[in-house]
Amino acid sequence: MSDDLLIAKINHGFDHLDADGDGLITERDHMLMGQSVARSLGHREGSEAEAVIVRAYLTIWQDLHLSRLPVGTEEVTREQFLRTTAAVADDPEAARNCYGALATAFLTVADADRSGTIDAGEFFVFQRGHFAGLSRDDADEAFRHLDLDGDGVLSAAEFQRAIIEYWTSRDPDAPGNWWTGVAPSEL
């Protein structure tokens, strides 16, 4: 299969991870994303709930991004991100480890009612913090694709699978392609 879809998804992801729009992914971007998600979830600026979410995002920066880069690296360019993310996509064990850890961190933040699952409302609120302008209709459409068993919630396994597929799959029909709320054909 063509790499075009995977590259389009990685680039789309980079655009949203670069929260300050400076063309680099940095620790500051992760702090800004954490703050944005905290706002989307209804937490006040400066609250302990916001601090917990920001720490989760800073841990993602340290453990998922910096750990894969040369010592002393403080920023990731689009080209570096594309290269390292594509390399992980070609290593199923590394992808499970890397994106499984990401999914665990995200699930902890997104699961507002601590049920162990994510309902459509939680999915929308969480994703809106990452993807400014995401409409409820688009989030609901994405959710329907990700809810593989149709039970109205994303289990931890469905949530994890969606993230792993988004960052690794070249299959245009993979449900995880919908992770960001954008139809694969629109990437």
Side-chain angles (χ1 to χ4, degrees):
M1 287 185 199
S2 168
D3 283 344
D4 292 347
L5 176 60
L6 181 60
I7 291 167
K9 291 187 299 182
I10 294 170
N11 276 312
H12 180 72
F14 182 92
D15 290 340
H16 292 280
L17 291 171
D18 178 16
D20 63 9
D22 68 355
L24 302 167
I25 299 175
T26 64
E27 182 176 69
R28 180 174 189 275
D29 290 309
H30 284 74
M31 181 188 69
L32 292 171
M33 283 185 288
Q35 291 170 337
S36 178
V37 169
R39 279 318 142 274
S40 187
L41 293 170
H43 301 302
R44 288 185 342 271
E45 183 175 343
S47 68
E48 180 56 29
E50 177 195 57
V52 167
I53 293 169
V54 168
R55 280 193 300 272
Y57 278 78
L58 293 176
T59 298
I60 291 167
W61 168 247
Q62 292 291 324
D63 293 354
L64 272 75
H65 294 291
L66 286 186
S67 68
R68 299 185 177 286
L69 298 169
V71 174
T73 300
E74 294 184 13
E75 59 193 32
V76 178
T77 66
R78 181 180 298 273
E79 293 75 26
Q80 288 170 314
F81 186 76
L82 206 96
R83 187 175 52 254
T84 59
T85 304
V88 171
D90 291 329
D91 183 342
E93 184 177 341
R96 276 190 307 279
N97 291 334
C98 176
Y99 301 124
L102 180 64
T104 299
F106 278 175
L107 184 64
T108 300
V109 173
D111 184 13
D113 65 6
R114 302 293 176 244
S115 66
T117 61
I118 305 298
D119 64 32
E122 288 172 320
F123 180 77
F124 169 64
V125 171
F126 175 73
Q127 291 296 71
R128 182 182 60 194
H130 290 116
F131 307 105
L134 178 65
S135 74
R136 181 63 194 248
D137 288 344
D138 288 342
D140 287 347
E141 175 71 14
F143 186 88
R144 284 189 290 278
H145 286 274
L146 302 176
D147 181 13
L148 300 176
D149 61 10
D151 67 353
V153 296
L154 299 180
S155 66
E158 288 170 323
F159 195 81
Q160 182 178 44
R161 178 180 171 169
I163 291 173
I164 292 170
E165 278 185 352
Y166 181 82
W167 292 108
T168 65
S169 181
R170 291 169 173 85
D171 179 356
D173 297 323
N177 293 339
W178 287 84
W179 171 250
T180 65
V182 176
S185 62
E186 295 176 20
L187 290 170

